[in-house]
Amino acid sequence: AEDGWRGTSPVKTYPPNKIGFYDITGNVWEWMRGGKHKARIVRGASYVDSTDASTNHAATLGARDTLHGTTTTANVGFRCVKSPKRRTEHHYVYHDEQLQGK
């Protein structure tokens, strides 16, 4: 790849996009829901660009291709995500020991 990495780059190597997301596209083709076993959908492009390295196009979220469901290669993967923790609210209740005791 032209970015200096031999394969995938470490997370947060590049700055986030305008809304704060890192590494949205370009590291690996991402498996998507849908398709059939022999034609599973992938999107986004990777560090070798096309799924079979035969074409060179801009890595975009709109880029789509299909691969056999048993394909294993370093430039195809999936995105791991984590749900944000639920916000815990703590309500302070004032306790006056002189009025209410210990």
Side-chain angles (χ1 to χ4, degrees):
E2 295 177 12
D3 63 1
W5 296 98
R6 188 172 183 180
T8 58
S9 63
V11 174
K12 294 187 178 179
T13 297
Y14 303 101
N17 64 12
K18 291 178 183 178
I19 57 175
F21 292 121
Y22 289 87
D23 310 319
I24 292 299
T25 188
N27 230 0
V28 296
W29 284 91
E30 294 178 22
W31 292 107
M32 301 296 299
R33 172 183 275 174
K36 302 201 181 316
H37 183 69
K38 293 183 179 182
R40 292 284 184 194
I41 302 167
V42 291
R43 74 165 185 187
S46 75
Y47 63 92
V48 289
D49 210 6
S50 65
T51 55
D52 63 0
S54 65
T55 59
N56 192 4
H57 61 276
T60 66
L61 290 176
R64 299 285 192 273
D65 205 344
T66 57
L67 290 174
H68 193 278
T70 60
T71 298
T72 58
T73 181
N75 70 322
V76 177
F78 55 92
R79 181 173 299 277
C80 296
V81 296
K82 181 179 178 182
S83 297
K85 290 182 180 179
R86 287 187 172 182
R87 186 175 144 186
T88 304
E89 292 188 26
H90 300 281
H91 299 284
Y92 178 77
V93 177
Y94 181 75
H95 181 83
D96 187 341
E97 291 182 4
Q98 290 179 347
L99 294 174
Q100 299 163 334
K102 290 186 180 184

